[in-house]
């Protein structure tokens, strides 16, 4: 026998144990709600004169509610008379989040269209999660409107009513049947907001919409083709979310040193300034690299008639590649080896003239140099790149080995 009755607010009730197995207890009557329709199961305690059993979850098995948990003290026996007590604070949050789910479902259909149907749901004491059918994205303005419509129903504080009728009668009266829910000969029809939301539902709900307190959407995203997901919070959890968002805003205002109402324009200006400075830095880096490559070009040596240049360069990988491009434009038919060290890592690049690369592969030459430096890599015959946790202390040794190898290849 189910005593929670969804419409009552019983916190405890007398019952008798009719079955005990491992970590589960069955009662002849219960106020514990078993997980169903997206709402998680109740928790609480079952107390006898000799023992205390803590219920962490309630699950449905056939027509029986299984109270799952752990014996905390004493002993619990089948046929014991007990007092069953739910975690009422958790139940209050579940009621709030479940009722808000119904109001949000109605708001989604009003804002996005009647094609919206529930595809999945989770109602816990912490939040509500709702999956629904919808193609395309949802705008910030639409989310704001949905949030506003739900909160308007909350503020109006209308009574939440229930009726029992056949599922067919309920649907004829405009009630929404929820995804994945099974209904018997009689279904419970829940009405909120004087007909704003009418759905078949067997879960626990608030007595009046005002009991929800506050409704706040925390995320909205697509999870698969044609299906989107909204997560939201209610009551004190919603207030905490709003305060958290305000703290982020306040921190940004302090960093930007501007009033809240001017924050967006200030951030836009800062982004523009950074982009301008980045372009100027890139221009100056290009100038430095061009000057550096001109100096490096003068350090070219000759190996069997082939111009050869090897050098360590400053900057990052991007700067090293720009230096290589500049050198290749200045040194026709050359072999170029450049190395750079930063962040505990050595980067290496080998460039070989296109015609020469048919005889000498950049990847093979990189392997010669990299073997000494602790660098691995590869690439097409004319260009190879590599990196690794090494050190350029042995760079001169690596280049000497590379020169000998090149001489062997051109003999």
């Amino acid at each position: 026998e189910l005593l929670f009755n969804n419409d009552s607010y019983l916190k405890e009730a007398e019952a008798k144990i009719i079955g005990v197995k491992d970590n589960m207890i069955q009662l002849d009557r219960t106020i514990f709600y078993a997980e169903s329709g997206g709402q998680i199961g109740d928790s609480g305690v079952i107390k006898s004169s000799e023992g205390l059993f803590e219920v962490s979850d309630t699950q449905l098995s056939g027509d029986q509610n299984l109270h799952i948990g752990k014996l905390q003290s004493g002993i619990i026996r089948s046929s014991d008379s007990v007092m069953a007590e739910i975690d009422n604070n958790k139940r209050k949050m579940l009621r709030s989040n479940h009722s808000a789910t119904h109001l949000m479902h109605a708001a989604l259909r009003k804002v996005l269209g009647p094609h919206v149907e529930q595809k999945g749901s989770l109602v816990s004491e912490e939040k509500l999660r709702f999956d629904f059918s919808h193609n395309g994205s949802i705008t910030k303005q639409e989310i704001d409107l949905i949030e506003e419509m739900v909160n308007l129903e909350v503020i109006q504080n209308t009574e939440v009513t229930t009726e029992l009728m056949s599922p067919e009668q309920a649907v004829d009266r405009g009630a929404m049947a929820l995804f994945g829910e099974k209904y018997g000969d009689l279904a419970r029809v829940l009405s909120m907001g004087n007909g704003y939301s009418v759905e078949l539902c067997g879960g626990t709900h608030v007595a009046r919409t005002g009991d929800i307190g506050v409704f706040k959407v925390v995320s909205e995203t697509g999870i698969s083709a044609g299906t989107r997901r909204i997560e939201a919070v209610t009551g004190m959890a919603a207030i905490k979310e709003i305060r958290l968002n305000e703290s982020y805003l306040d921190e940004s205002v302090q960093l930007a040193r501007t009033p809240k109402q001017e924050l967006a324009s200030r951030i836009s200006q800062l982004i523009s300034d950074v982009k301008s400075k980045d372009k100027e830095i890139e221009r100056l880096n290009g100038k430095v690299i061009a000057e550096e490559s001109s100096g490096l070009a003068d350090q070219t040596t000759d190996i069997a008639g082939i111009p050869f240049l090897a050098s360590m360069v400053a900057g990052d990988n991007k700067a090293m590649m720009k230096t290589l491009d500049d050198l290749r434009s200045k040194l026709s038919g050359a072999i170029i080896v450049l190395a750079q060290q930063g962040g505990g890592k050595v980067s290496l690049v080998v460039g070989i003239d296109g015609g020469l690369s048919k005889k000498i592969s950049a990847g093979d030459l990189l392997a010669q140099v990299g073997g000494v430096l602790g660098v691995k890599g590869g690439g097409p015959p004319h260009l190879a790149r590599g990196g690794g946790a090494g050190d350029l202390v042995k760079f001169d040794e690596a280049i000497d080995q590379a020169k000998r190898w090149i001489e062997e290849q051109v003999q």
Side-chain angles (χ1 to χ4, degrees):
E1 180 185 1
L2 301 179
L3 294 180
F4 63 82
N5 189 31
N6 301 295
D7 304 316
S8 70
Y9 289 82
L10 289 172
K11 300 177 184 178
E12 61 182 23
E14 295 180 351
K16 179 176 289 188
I17 296 178
I18 59 174
V20 178
K21 183 179 181 181
D22 299 327
N23 64 336
M24 295 183 293
I25 288 179
Q26 290 177 253
L27 302 175
D28 66 337
R29 56 206 308 253
T30 184
I31 58 172
F32 283 77
Y33 178 83
E35 181 174 336
S36 180
Q39 180 177 330
I40 66 171
D42 276 329
S43 56
V45 294
I46 296 174
K47 299 185 291 186
S48 72
S49 59
E50 297 181 79
L52 174 66
F53 184 88
E54 184 175 353
V55 180
S56 57
D57 189 17
T58 308
Q59 294 288 324
L60 192 64
S61 176
D63 59 353
Q64 288 288 335
N65 283 21
L66 301 180
H67 307 80
I68 302 167
K70 184 178 181 181
L71 184 66
Q72 294 297 325
S73 63
I75 187 171
I76 293 286
R77 303 183 184 87
S78 184
S79 77
D80 278 356
S81 294
V82 294
M83 181 66 71
E85 300 177 6
I86 63 168
D87 181 339
N88 197 47
N89 287 330
K90 176 181 176 181
R91 171 69 75 84
K92 284 180 179 178
M93 291 184 283
L94 285 168
R95 290 181 186 275
S96 176
N97 286 340
H98 202 161
S99 296
T101 302
H102 283 234
L103 291 176
M104 184 179 70
H105 189 187
L108 283 166
R109 290 173 61 85
K110 295 178 190 302
V111 173
L112 302 179
H115 64 278
V116 170
E117 292 182 354
Q118 178 180 327
K119 294 300 180 182
S121 177
L122 170 68
V123 178
S124 71
E125 71 271 34
E126 298 171 345
K127 66 179 182 180
L128 63 95
R129 189 181 72 208
F130 190 76
D131 299 341
F132 59 97
S133 56
H134 181 66
N135 289 313
S137 60
I138 301 177
T139 67
K140 174 66 166 58
Q141 291 74 21
E142 287 171 330
I143 291 294
D144 288 345
L145 180 56
I146 290 164
E147 197 174 85
E148 183 178 317
M149 293 173 73
V150 173
N151 278 305
L152 182 59
E153 292 301 319
V154 172
I155 291 170
Q156 291 178 349
N157 195 29
T158 56
E159 184 181 7
V160 177
T161 63
T162 59
E163 293 181 82
L164 290 177
M165 62 186 73
S166 70
E168 294 75 20
Q169 287 176 312
V171 172
D172 287 343
R173 289 177 56 175
M176 287 284 295
L178 296 183
F179 173 81
E181 191 79 15
K182 295 181 180 179
Y183 305 102
D185 295 335
L186 287 178
R188 180 168 172 267
V189 179
L190 184 88
S191 298
M192 307 174 70
N194 295 320
Y196 181 85
S197 167
V198 183
E199 295 189 20
L200 281 73
C201 183
T204 62
H205 288 276
V206 296
R208 306 187 70 89
T209 58
D211 296 341
I212 294 171
V214 184
F215 171 82
K216 176 66 180 172
V217 174
V218 295
S219 68
E220 187 281 324
T221 186
I223 58 172
S224 64
T227 304
R228 303 196 68 82
R229 170 173 292 175
I230 278 187
E231 293 189 354
V233 287
T234 65
M236 285 304 301
I239 293 174
K240 289 178 181 178
E241 178 68 20
I242 293 168
R243 285 176 176 168
L244 182 62
N245 291 338
E246 286 181 344
S247 71
Y248 295 148
L249 177 60
D250 290 340
E251 184 177 354
S252 300
V253 164
Q254 291 176 11
L255 290 172
R257 297 180 181 179
T258 189
K260 290 181 181 180
Q261 61 270 23
E262 298 176 12
L263 181 60
S265 60
R266 175 60 175 158
I267 291 175
S268 179
Q269 182 60 50
L270 289 172
I271 292 173
S272 178
D273 291 346
V274 169
K275 287 181 178 179
S276 295
K277 287 180 172 59
D278 284 344
K279 287 181 180 180
E280 179 63 14
I281 290 170
E282 188 173 351
R283 185 188 69 81
L284 293 173
N285 281 340
K287 186 177 180 179
V288 170
I289 289 168
E291 293 174 354
E292 183 181 50
S293 62
S294 295
L296 288 174
D298 297 335
Q299 301 174 22
T300 304
T301 59
D302 183 278
I303 301 177
I306 301 171
F308 176 80
L309 174 63
S311 179
M312 295 180 286
V313 296
D316 55 15
N317 280 338
K318 184 177 179 181
M320 183 171 67
M321 294 304 298
K322 181 65 170 61
T323 301
L324 176 66
D325 290 341
D326 284 355
L327 288 170
R328 293 179 81 173
S329 68
K330 294 180 175 70
L331 302 174
S332 177
I335 297 174
I336 302 170
V337 179
L338 300 178
Q340 176 268 338
Q341 185 167 8
K345 181 180 178 181
V346 169
S347 297
L348 190 65
V349 62
V350 175
I352 297 180
D353 180 84
L356 185 59
S357 65
K358 296 176 182 178
K359 191 171 185 178
I360 300 175
S361 168
D364 292 342
L365 180 53
L366 185 141
Q368 294 295 318
V369 179
V372 179
L373 300 178
V375 171
K376 293 182 179 181
H382 70 285
L383 179 66
R385 301 175 66 176
D391 197 294
L392 291 180
V393 171
K394 295 184 178 181
F395 184 72
D396 290 341
E397 177 185 336
I399 296 306
D400 288 341
Q401 179 169 310
K403 290 178 178 178
R404 292 191 295 271
W405 181 83
I406 291 172
E407 290 175 345
E408 292 173 359
Q409 305 308 305
V410 297
Q411 286 178 356

